Amino acid sequence: MKKISIKKGEFLQKSGDLNTKVYHVQSGLLRSYIIDEKGKEHIFSFAPENWVIAGSLPPEVPADLYIDAIENSVVLVVNKDIRLEGKNAGALIRRIAVLQKRVIMLMSDSALKRYEHFIQTYPDIVKRVPQKMIASYLGITPEALSKVKNERNRNH
Amino acid sequence: MKKISIKKGEFLQKSGDLNTKVYHVQSGLLRSYIIDEKGKEHIFSFAPENWVIAGSLPPEVPADLYIDAIENSVVLVVNKDIRLEGKNAGALIRRIAVLQKRVIMLMSDSALKRYEHFIQTYPDIVKRVPQKMIASYLGITPEALSKVKNERNRNH
DNA sequence: AGTGTGCATTAATCTAGATTAAGAAATCAG
DNA sequence: CTGATTTCTTAATCTAGATTAATGCACACT
């Protein structure tokens, strides 16, 4: 398994790439995101230490995500087939649970509730990432996030 | 593996249930959904023939979804652990891909685009399900869906 | 046949969050 | 250290979609 060092701002994968890999983050912080037709970024996931981040599973399909480094990072390139084995299936199921909750939140919760959920689920990421990326992950603009935070402080 | 017949409107599972199962639909049509604190339904997934539908994976966690029948249906109760084996891992990965696309669509696409995507991805479901359920799946109100369809017809 | 009850549509109004713009604060490059 | 480029915030305006409400339909039922 190859170990890769990647500097802040560098890409691990771009949308359209074939033969994508799965990466296990050893240190640092990565993100995956799409760029829509208006050129706007939408962050799909953050991956700090000990998380896994992947382009498109299955790997024979072109990636629809960009992956780049928010901090200087070291990642392990995981052999793709490991995903399918024993304890890794557990990780897949956890991933599905997280995605399911995210879909439900996007359908039914306000920006404020999504933000509350985010900061209490990923408190460390909140501190390490610029606001505009949090907004992007929540599916709102940075301006809207500013408003939300204000409102939140008012009702301390 | 038990086979169960379930009539239109009956429940297979309710939010809060423990020890949830995975169901393989043999005939008919099911849906899974949440009810938010305002009492509003949000459909998480439809499951026609040959699809699988599940409450919370993992099964030891209380279900957060309701599952009921939109048509009279017959389902197979799947032994939970089958999920983790061989070819079923492929199904998990496909499920993740679908969820990923859904998250991205909810974050970046308009109601119109989500509707277009839905009717061309699930053309048979469109015909079998009331409009309000399609709206609920798309994350909009039935009124908004009516508008969208109108607009769509105008630009035939 | 009549009479509910739920579904779909239209229209009027309202609102969360988008967009645009501009200034202040932070970060970066040389 | 310093100017330049990003980031964050505030404020004004705009808009997609929510809410509310009314109407017409298609069914079930007794």
Side-chain angles (χ1 to χ4, degrees):
Chain A
M1 279 203 262
K2 238 191 320 189
K3 190 182 284 194
I4 298 182
S5 286
I6 171 176
K7 290 214 192 86
K8 182 172 173 169
E10 287 179 347
F11 286 90
L12 218 42
Q13 168 184 117
K14 297 201 180 192
S15 180
D17 284 1
L18 283 168
N19 222 287
T20 60
K21 306 282 192 291
V22 174
Y23 305 97
H24 180 96
V25 182
Q26 301 217 290
S27 68
L29 179 57
L30 305 184
R31 64 170 177 159
S32 66
Y33 59 99
I34 59 148
I35 299 184
D36 69 22
E37 66 269 21
K38 285 167 216 140
K40 211 167 150 191
E41 287 174 12
H42 301 271
I43 294 182
F44 179 69
S45 75
F46 294 107
E49 298 77 15
N50 288 316
W51 283 58
V52 159
I53 195 164
S56 74
L57 330 140
E60 55 280 4
V61 160
D64 35 16
L65 296 173
Y66 294 80
I67 299 178
D68 68 10
I70 297 174
E71 303 172 357
N72 295 337
S73 306
V74 177
V75 305
L76 229 45
V77 181
V78 177
N79 179 338
K80 322 162 200 182
D81 298 325
I82 279 201
R83 292 185 264 115
L84 306 180
E85 282 159 23
K87 58 179 64 178
N88 290 85
L92 285 187
I93 287 180
R94 248 171 287 125
R95 179 148 217 74
I96 288 176
V98 168
L99 283 171
Q100 176 170 323
K101 181 162 283 177
R102 184 111 172 261
V103 166
I104 287 171
M105 284 204 316
L106 284 169
M107 289 200 301
S108 61
D109 289 347
S110 67
L112 174 59
K113 283 192 93 178
R114 299 203 301 276
Y115 178 62
E116 301 272 16
H117 180 266
F118 182 79
I119 59 183
Q120 66 136 289
T121 310
Y122 307 106
D124 58 315
I125 291 182
V126 177
K127 294 179 222 124
R128 290 162 70 182
V129 149
Q131 299 302 303
K132 63 164 197 165
M133 288 193 189
I134 295 175
S136 171
Y137 179 92
L138 295 176
I140 60 178
T141 58
E143 292 85 353
L145 178 55
S146 257
K147 253 202 273 189
V148 162
K149 292 196 333 185
N150 242 304
E151 193 183 331
R152 219 174 89 85
N153 288 336
R154 240 187 294 290
N155 318 350
H156 55 275
Chain B
M1 280 202 263
K2 240 192 314 192
K3 190 182 286 197
I4 299 182
S5 286
I6 170 176
K7 289 216 193 83
K8 183 173 172 169
E10 287 179 348
F11 286 90
L12 218 43
Q13 167 184 117
K14 298 200 179 192
S15 180
D17 283 2
L18 284 168
N19 223 287
T20 60
K21 306 281 191 290
V22 173
Y23 306 96
H24 179 96
V25 182
Q26 301 217 291
S27 68
L29 179 58
L30 306 183
R31 64 170 177 158
S32 66
Y33 60 97
I34 59 150
I35 299 183
D36 69 22
E37 66 268 22
K38 285 168 215 139
K40 211 167 149 190
E41 287 175 10
H42 300 271
I43 294 183
F44 180 67
S45 74
F46 294 108
E49 297 80 13
N50 287 317
W51 283 57
V52 160
I53 195 164
S56 74
L57 331 140
E60 55 279 4
V61 159
D64 36 16
L65 296 173
Y66 294 80
I67 299 178
D68 69 9
I70 298 173
E71 303 172 358
N72 295 338
S73 307
V74 178
V75 304
L76 229 45
V77 181
V78 177
N79 179 338
K80 324 163 199 182
D81 298 326
I82 280 202
R83 293 186 264 114
L84 306 180
E85 284 159 22
K87 59 179 63 178
N88 290 86
L92 284 187
I93 287 180
R94 247 171 290 125
R95 178 147 217 77
I96 289 177
V98 168
L99 283 171
Q100 177 170 322
K101 181 163 284 178
R102 184 111 173 261
V103 167
I104 288 172
M105 284 203 315
L106 285 168
M107 289 202 300
S108 62
D109 289 347
S110 66
L112 174 59
K113 284 193 91 177
R114 299 204 300 277
Y115 178 62
E116 300 273 16
H117 181 267
F118 182 79
I119 59 184
Q120 66 136 290
T121 308
Y122 307 105
D124 57 314
I125 292 182
V126 177
K127 295 178 223 126
R128 290 162 69 181
V129 149
Q131 298 302 303
K132 63 166 197 164
M133 288 193 188
I134 296 176
S136 171
Y137 179 92
L138 295 176
I140 60 178
T141 57
E143 292 85 353
L145 179 55
S146 258
K147 254 203 272 189
V148 162
K149 291 195 330 186
N150 241 304
E151 194 182 330
R152 219 174 87 85
N153 288 336
R154 242 188 291 292
N155 319 347
H156 56 275

